[in-house]
Amino acid sequence: MFLSLRSDLAAADPGQNRTYCSLSGRVTTPEGTPVPEAIVQLSGPLLPPRTATSDADGRFTIVDLPPGTFSVTVSRDGFSPVTGSVRLVPEANTASATFTLRPAATDSVTVSASDKDIAEAQIHLAEQQRIAGILPNFFVSYIWRATPLTSGQKFRLALKNAADPGNLILVGTVAGVQQATNSFPGYSQGWKGYGRRYGADLGNLVSGTFIGGAILPSVFHQDPRYFYKGTGSTSSRFWYAVSRTVVTRGDKGRPQPNYSTMLGDMSAGALSNLYYAPEDRQGAKVTIANGLLGIAGDAMNNVFQEFVLKKLTTNNKRNTLQP
């Protein structure tokens, strides 16, 4: 019976009578450009998957296929895959098909930092600027087109500057010199007198920094920083530095009268009358005169910033987009 079964099978399906088909085709883009190295996979219920790879002209061929209906998937990196079906019939030994692959759709995501985040990064750089590695030089920007600061950032920078150990040491040194020269004699001598001088000088630092560097710049929407120029002739840089005491950059980038510096110097001088010894307090005329001297001092400081202090300042990152 076993031999008879083999004989029946051989008679029913002799190899020489089996019909084979082939599938040929081409893979292109919608514009007709051939797509090489595309994977063409053909599969069916009773057929293990058969694959072919398109050549440089996008052409492929799969041979030795039985008749029937098969699923076809065409894919390639960078393109969206396509699927379809093909019917192979004994009457036509070779079937042909063209498959069109389209570039895969990609999601374009643009990530951009907000102005506040950019300004925060610039403040971080400024907070590393120190003269001789000791004294803070936070209110100078070596980035010409720096992003404007928010009011909160102006106050934070002012607080950082006023509370910096380098400035506190400087205040102590100034108070010591005043003690030695008996400046402001109303404070007398001894540790008590030194403490009063230190407190008054610290008050000057805090009031000047916050009024001229945070409060008024927030009210008038002005940038409290000095923007280092660094290019041009010596005279143009000198007059630029001097002019920054009366002209400053607004938060929208346009020049404005520097109300923050001018009124800040006057206000800080007037405020000091609240904590100086009665015999050392100044009248209105002296306060105004000292305010004008403060403005002149700011001009000299700007000149030093432009020509001297950059060389002594650590971490002075400068942007190449200068005027």
Side-chain angles (χ1 to χ4, degrees), residues 14-208:
Q16 61 270 25
N17 294 328
R18 185 176 299 168
T19 301
Y20 291 98
C21 303
S22 64
L23 174 65
S24 298
R26 195 166 185 238
V27 184
T28 67
T29 65
E31 294 77 20
T33 304
V35 179
E37 299 182 357
I39 305 299
V40 182
Q41 184 178 75
L42 185 144
S43 60
L46 301 177
L47 180 72
R50 300 283 300 278
T51 61
T53 302
S54 61
D55 60 17
D57 195 38
R59 300 186 183 280
F60 68 91
T61 299
I62 303 177
V63 299
D64 296 335
L65 299 172
T69 301
F70 303 94
S71 296
V72 182
T73 301
V74 183
S75 61
R76 190 189 190 285
D77 290 343
F79 292 84
S80 298
V82 296
T83 58
S85 62
V86 62
R87 180 176 175 79
L88 304 179
V89 296
E91 293 79 8
N93 290 340
T94 301
S96 62
T98 299
F99 298 95
T100 301
L101 291 184
R102 300 178 182 275
T106 57
D107 294 329
S108 178
V109 179
T110 301
V111 179
S112 59
S114 66
D115 286 346
K116 182 178 179 180
D117 292 335
I118 296 173
E120 198 69 29
Q122 293 170 354
I123 289 176
H124 179 71
L125 288 177
E127 290 175 347
Q128 301 175 48
Q129 296 169 183
R130 292 186 177 276
I131 300 171
I134 301 173
L135 297 178
N137 200 18
F138 301 160
F139 279 95
V140 176
S141 175
Y142 296 104
I143 302 174
W144 181 256
R145 292 180 174 85
T147 302
L149 307 179
T150 65
S151 292
Q153 290 169 334
K154 293 171 186 177
F155 274 90
R156 199 195 80 189
L157 191 61
L159 177 61
K160 185 84 172 179
N161 183 78
D164 188 85
N167 272 338
L168 298 181
I169 293 173
L170 179 62
V171 168
T173 302
V174 171
V177 172
Q178 292 173 343
Q179 179 91 344
T181 58
N182 199 31
S183 298
F184 305 105
Y187 289 138
S188 69
Q189 291 292 314
W191 284 109
K192 186 176 181 179
Y194 176 79
R196 289 176 174 176
R197 288 181 174 86
Y198 186 93
D201 291 332
L202 182 61
N204 291 341
L205 170 66
V206 172
S207 63

Side-chain angles (χ1 to χ4, degrees), residues 248-267:
T248 191
R249 184 183 299 184
D251 287 343
K252 293 184 178 180
R254 293 190 291 268
Q256 296 180 359
N258 196 347
Y259 301 118
S260 299
T261 292
M262 293 185 289
L263 294 180
D265 287 333
M266 296 292 183
S267 300

Side-chain angles (χ1 to χ4, degrees), residues 173-306:
T173 302
V174 171
V177 172
Q178 292 173 343
Q179 179 91 344
T181 58
N182 199 31
S183 298
F184 305 105
Y187 289 138
S188 69
Q189 291 292 314
W191 284 109
K192 186 176 181 179
Y194 176 79
R196 289 176 174 176
R197 288 181 174 86
Y198 186 93
D201 291 332
L202 182 61
N204 291 341
L205 170 66
V206 172
S207 63
T209 301
F210 275 91
I211 294 174
I215 297 174
L216 293 180
S218 296
V219 171
F220 294 110
H221 303 287
Q222 297 180 335
D223 202 307
R225 296 170 291 184
Y226 174 78
F227 290 91
Y228 176 79
K229 188 172 185 287
T231 60
S233 65
T234 300
S235 61
S236 68
R237 293 174 63 192
F238 174 83
W239 289 114
Y240 164 80
V242 171
S243 69
R244 294 309 93 184
T245 57
V246 293
V247 179
T248 191
R249 184 183 299 184
D251 287 343
K252 293 184 178 180
R254 293 190 291 268
Q256 296 180 359
N258 196 347
Y259 301 118
S260 299
T261 292
M262 293 185 289
L263 294 180
D265 287 333
M266 296 292 183
S267 300
L271 186 63
S272 66
N273 286 318
L274 298 178
Y275 49 81
Y276 272 99
E279 54 268 41
D280 295 324
R281 292 175 185 172
Q282 304 164 347
K285 290 183 179 180
V286 177
T287 298
I288 294 174
N290 286 342
L292 294 175
L293 288 175
I295 294 173
D298 290 334
M300 291 302 300
N301 178 68
N302 290 346
V303 171
F304 271 92
Q305 291 287 0
E306 188 66 29

